[in-house]
Amino acid sequence: MLDLRLTRAARPAVQLRRLLVAAASAGTGFLLLSCLGYALGHPGTAGAGALRLAWCLVPVAATVHFAVAVARTDPGARPRPGLSALGLGPARLMAVSALGTALATTLGSLLALALFLHLRGDLAGVPFDGAGASFLAVGRPLPAAAALTLLAVVPGVATATVAVALRPRDPKPATRPQRRYLSFVGPAGRAPAGDRAAAGAPAGGGTPSAPDSATDLAAPTPDRDPADGRDTPAGLPWAVALLAAGLTAQAYAGRTPPPPAPTFTTFAPAAVPFLLGWLLTAAGVVLAAPGLTHLCGRLLQCARPGALRLLAGRVLMTEAARIGRPLGVLWAVAAGYATTTLYAAPARAFGPLSILGALVVTGCAFATLLTVAVETRQCRAETTAALLRLGAPATVLRGAAALRALALLAFFTPLTLAIAALAALPLTR
Amino acid sequence: MEAPPDNDVLWARSLHFTHPDGSPGLAGVSLAVREGEVLAVSGPRGSGKTTLLRCLSGLVPVREGEVWFNSTPVHTLGPTHRERLRRDRFCWIGPEPALVPELNAWENAALPLMLRGTSRRRAKATALEWLERLDVGEAARKRPHRLRQSERQRVSIARALAPAPTVLFADEPTAPLHRADRGHVLRTLTSAARSHGITVVLATADPETAAAADRTVTLLDGRPVRTVHLPEIPDAGGRAACSISV
């Protein structure tokens, strides 16, 4: 009951996020049910039905990703040090988050079921004169066990993922040395802090300009401390390798005359390398995004920054790991759409289900990014308050946020277009 | 409305404050802070020290009573003017060194200057000079999470002193520190303020800390008192005093 009360007593923004999770879950549930309907209507083509079901993995993954992001942001499940003694410890809060996720996703699944039954005409007569008969299996009895199993997929997976993601953990005792993502921007060959301080010390007590110029000369990279690799996301080399391998596989697939485009129902064996390559590319994109976000922040704050660029760039560098993943997912989705736009050779119309799937995936990716931005803001609330107490004008803080968004947009849009062009090149040749 | 005496930089008269939830904060505080002095506001926890500092520095609007700063009536100013006053004239040190975690020590200390539009080079020079003076020059390039608490607190003092404020409000600046660090931080703070003619209003519950100030105003339940007579703590029911073995 406590969980339900915590869930109910949230602010409208939080409820809106939960409703969005429910909507995503409803969309995914409807897609799954329509796979079932297609299979019922076409009992002879098992392969096409399985292929449709396999395509549904993408919306399921997007929905689960979004649900986890929303659960992380939920203020009801924030750690409450004072209430631990009352029983609201980390484990209980994990249960609260998991229950909230289960509620939202189950609501979505029920909505999907109701919509599906309504369109099939099970509740009241068939609407739209049976226009969607191909995937609705109108007139055939719907197997209840199959429908419920499919509808339980999203709530089950989302709840389990939230529980695993928010499980109570002790802070790690010691940080292991992290590899730098690019060796040439790393601390290689830089004097440790003690040496540099010693180098700057002789001029330390002099005139105001003396220590400045002395330390600038003594330290080749003055604005970094040896420990700022702590929050540097590792793994950019692997990501680039994956990306390259994926693009290569796609080029290899396009070496023969272009295979027929893999659609939701037909699937030529020649398209397997193409799809594999695209999967590798997407994985590489998702893995590369944190490192690239960090690099973007580093570029933003380089070369004698003022307060605005300093705040914008450093915050981007610190939050790269958090904000990079959803950014990467959005990037992959955008690159996928750009590829399909560029690869318009066999023009085919998108059906209603493809459009629904695309909407679910794009919406989830975008909403996840926004949710993570909210989470970042929550985590930085104390720092923001301290800055405001310091007398920082609100325009500077807003300007820094806008600058971050602009920098990310300017950095990632050309990359998206480049990857899409590279991916579509072998097909359109 | 009578103008304050000339040598008083900050001046409060019959200041009343009630928290938004209705709990009483201040009940008629009148005090005057002279230019360049270190004034300690002491008293037990919950006696209204922080509230008084927040009222004096314009962090919260004053509804009853008057606060004057250098013949500026702070109690009549709107939020924008108070924010500008805080930025240009006042500085604040809290019990927690609220440093920006992404910036290193000197960037933190130079941030108020850079926010005021000082050039980066001059802000850096001033910040490094202050850090050196407060004995944290070695740590100028470390991020806050690599510093010890006392070093962080000294960086936050440097951040407060670097823009050369007229009045420095220090709300229990030594509360989270051990006694050795406490003495060091307090000495650096008071000596830096005295040598630069910065007025300091220091809230503290610790009599040793209050002894470092020029003058002490004691608050009790939101009222200034001359001497604190607290009721005797009753004997704990015949039980022997607890001892902590460490």
Side-chain angles (χ1 to χ4, degrees):
Chain A
M1 283 322 284
L2 171 76
D3 307 352
L4 287 179
R5 262 186 230 168
L6 281 178
T7 307
R8 203 188 57 191
R11 285 177 303 118
V14 182
Q15 302 288 21
L16 177 70
R17 268 179 253 146
R18 289 185 191 140
L19 280 182
L20 281 179
V21 170
S25 164
T28 312
F30 189 82
L31 285 175
L32 286 168
L33 281 182
S34 50
C35 287
L36 176 65
Y38 180 83
L40 282 179
H42 307 76
T45 55
L51 190 62
R52 280 177 169 241
L53 203 57
W55 274 110
C56 281
L57 280 181
V58 181
V60 168
T63 309
V64 170
H65 189 219
F66 180 42
V68 171
V70 168
R72 271 188 206 283
T73 332
D74 198 342
R78 189 95 41 82
R80 307 174 186 214
L83 297 187
S84 209
L86 300 183
L88 267 182
R92 185 64 185 273
L93 286 176
M94 175 198 77
V96 170
S97 315
L99 189 80
T101 311
L103 265 181
T105 44
T106 312
L107 176 69
S109 286
L110 289 181
L111 275 179
L113 181 64
L115 184 66
F116 191 69
L117 290 182
H118 174 67
L119 287 182
R120 264 168 59 86
D122 286 354
L123 303 180
V126 182
F128 309 130
D129 300 329
S134 73
F135 59 86
L136 290 175
V138 181
R140 291 167 195 274
L142 190 69
L148 288 185
T149 309
L150 282 180
L151 283 180
V153 165
V154 173
V157 175
T159 309
T161 317
V162 165
V164 170
L166 298 182
R167 68 187 182 279
R169 267 172 298 192
D170 283 334
K172 282 179 190 161
T175 53
R176 63 195 164 78
Q178 280 231 348
R179 276 170 305 164
R180 310 284 305 190
Y181 63 88
L182 284 178
S183 57
F184 55 85
V185 293
R190 195 189 311 157
D195 293 2
R196 195 182 312 143
T207 56
S209 67
D212 187 13
S213 52
T215 42
D216 269 0
L217 289 177
T221 46
D223 293 340
R224 262 174 260 145
D225 83 309
D228 73 353
R230 192 185 68 126
D231 38 43
T232 307
L236 192 56
W238 283 111
V240 172
L242 273 180
L243 199 59
L247 289 175
T248 315
Q250 290 182 55
Y252 179 78
R255 150 190 70 105
T256 49
T263 61
F264 294 102
T265 46
T266 59
F267 191 74
V272 170
F274 180 80
L275 267 190
L276 260 182
W278 180 240
L279 270 183
L280 280 180
T281 312
V285 159
V286 173
L287 284 180
L292 288 178
T293 311
H294 191 269
L295 189 65
C296 186
R298 191 178 280 282
L299 289 178
L300 200 57
Q301 57 94 48
C302 65
R304 318 199 77 78
L308 184 69
R309 275 201 298 139
L310 200 59
L311 282 176
R314 287 294 168 81
V315 172
L316 203 53
M317 282 165 69
T318 315
E319 301 294 337
R322 194 199 306 271
I323 215 162
R325 286 286 147 75
L327 194 63
V329 171
L330 188 63
W331 183 23
V333 170
Y337 287 138
T339 312
T340 48
T341 316
L342 291 176
Y343 173 47
R348 67 194 162 82
F350 285 106
L353 287 185
S354 323
I355 291 179
L356 178 63
L359 266 182
V360 167
V361 172
T362 324
C364 279
F366 197 64
T368 309
L369 186 61
L370 288 187
T371 312
V372 169
V374 169
E375 186 192 351
T376 310
R377 197 177 151 191
Q378 285 174 354
C379 287
R380 294 185 42 78
E382 276 183 29
T383 311
T384 312
L387 278 173
L388 285 177
R389 210 163 43 221
L390 207 66
T395 46
V396 168
L397 300 182
R398 267 185 233 126
L403 192 60
R404 280 197 288 275
L406 269 182
L408 284 181
L409 205 61
F411 195 76
F412 277 93
T413 310
L415 280 177
T416 311
L417 292 180
I419 285 183
L422 278 179
L425 192 61
L427 297 177
T428 52
R429 216 174 21 172
Chain B
M1 206 178 276
E2 166 194 350
D6 279 347
N7 57 346
D8 285 352
V9 63
L10 195 66
W11 188 71
R13 198 168 74 172
S14 61
L15 200 59
H16 291 259
F17 185 80
T18 310
H19 288 285
D21 56 358
S23 34
L26 299 174
V29 178
S30 301
L31 65 92
V33 188
R34 293 187 206 107
E35 193 164 358
E37 78 169 342
V38 179
L39 173 74
V41 179
S42 75
R45 284 188 65 126
S47 57
K49 305 182 295 290
T50 303
T51 312
L52 177 63
L53 258 65
R54 287 165 66 86
C55 285
L56 289 179
S57 64
L59 272 171
V60 290
V62 174
R63 304 248 179 269
E64 285 179 71
E66 298 170 7
V67 177
W68 290 76
F69 166 72
N70 270 349
S71 72
T72 309
V74 179
H75 54 282
T76 61
L77 295 182
T80 325
H81 285 91
R82 274 188 280 126
E83 185 191 316
R84 194 178 306 148
L85 189 68
R86 274 208 309 279
R87 181 162 71 230
D88 295 344
R89 299 289 180 179
F90 297 160
C91 261
W92 180 279
I93 304 172
E96 294 289 324
L99 302 177
V100 182
E102 290 88 12
L103 308 182
N104 64 25
W106 81 256
E107 285 163 341
N108 261 300
L111 192 61
L113 284 169
M114 287 205 263
L115 284 172
R116 278 164 217 212
T118 316
S119 78
R120 179 186 161 90
R121 174 170 284 272
R122 192 160 354 128
K124 181 177 182 178
T126 315
L128 285 176
E129 200 183 341
W130 271 109
L131 289 178
E132 202 68 50
R133 205 169 291 168
L134 297 182
D135 278 351
V136 271
E138 304 256 317
R141 290 176 206 292
K142 290 187 190 169
R143 296 271 193 94
H145 65 83
R146 304 232 313 149
L147 301 177
R148 274 179 289 141
Q149 181 86 333
S150 61
E151 290 173 327
R152 277 202 288 269
Q153 192 64 323
R154 271 180 274 154
V155 172
S156 91
I157 292 175
R159 180 177 71 176
L161 289 171
T166 314
V167 184
L168 175 66
F169 294 96
D171 180 18
E172 306 244 16
T174 56
L177 303 181
H178 280 194
R179 280 182 51 234
D181 290 333
R182 195 175 279 205
H184 188 194
V185 165
L186 197 67
R187 269 197 306 280
T188 50
L189 171 63
T190 49
S191 59
R194 285 206 178 97
S195 62
H196 285 70
I198 296 172
T199 312
V200 179
V201 183
L202 177 73
T204 176
D206 179 20
E208 283 180 36
T209 308
D214 299 330
R215 200 156 61 90
T216 304
V217 173
T218 307
L219 287 187
L220 188 64
D221 292 344
R223 285 189 187 83
V225 289
R226 297 267 169 193
T227 46
V228 182
H229 291 294
L230 289 175
E232 288 283 315
I233 299 169
D235 198 18
R239 198 189 232 187
C242 290
S243 70
I244 300 174
S245 55
V246 282

